[in-house]
Amino acid sequence: MEICLIEWGDAWIDTIDITKADAAKLKPVARQTVGFFVKETSEGVVLCTDFYDDHVNDINTPMFIPFGMISNWYFLEVEKEFQPEIPDTKKMKVVLK
């Protein structure tokens, strides 16, 4: 599965009293989310945190982000693999496609 980075503006809430003028200045929370790309629909993008080699039709922790909230999105590419100092582990350098 491909790895995807999505930059998006999230809704939020607070339980404080403020003036209407201050409320008019509020903005979405800027987020960056990375996950495995599942599907692009007509309404947004579906990512997941995990998938299973032996269950090709199953994923774990799906996330849907509507296009109206997305400012940018990219597919990431593994450039090369290198061996870290800890035995039996692998790290990958990731670059934007």
Side-chain angles (χ1 to χ4, degrees):
M1 294 184 86
E2 292 184 285
I3 300 170
C4 186
L5 165 68
I6 299 179
E7 297 173 341
W8 58 292
D10 198 1
W12 59 276
I13 188 171
D14 202 345
T15 58
I16 60 172
D17 294 332
I18 61 174
T19 66
K20 289 181 183 179
D22 287 340
K25 298 174 190 172
L26 298 177
K27 302 215 181 273
V29 174
R31 298 203 185 273
Q32 291 185 335
T33 300
V34 175
F36 292 106
F37 177 78
V38 177
K39 183 172 180 68
E40 175 183 351
T41 72
S42 62
E43 297 178 14
V45 178
V46 181
L47 302 178
C48 71
T49 60
D50 301 281
F51 66 95
Y52 310 99
D53 288 337
D54 56 346
H55 294 97
V56 295
N57 292 319
D58 296 328
I59 62 168
N60 182 261
T61 316
M63 174 184 241
F64 179 82
I65 304 175
F67 281 127
M69 299 172 85
I70 296 174
S71 54
N72 290 299
W73 60 302
Y74 315 90
F75 286 100
L76 304 179
E77 180 178 278
V78 176
E79 185 175 81
K80 67 177 184 176
E81 190 175 296
F82 63 94
Q83 193 65 38
E85 296 178 19
I86 302 169
D88 300 323
T89 61
K90 292 182 180 178
K91 290 188 178 180
M92 294 176 218
K93 182 177 179 183
V94 178
V95 294
L96 291 177
K97 276 188 177 179

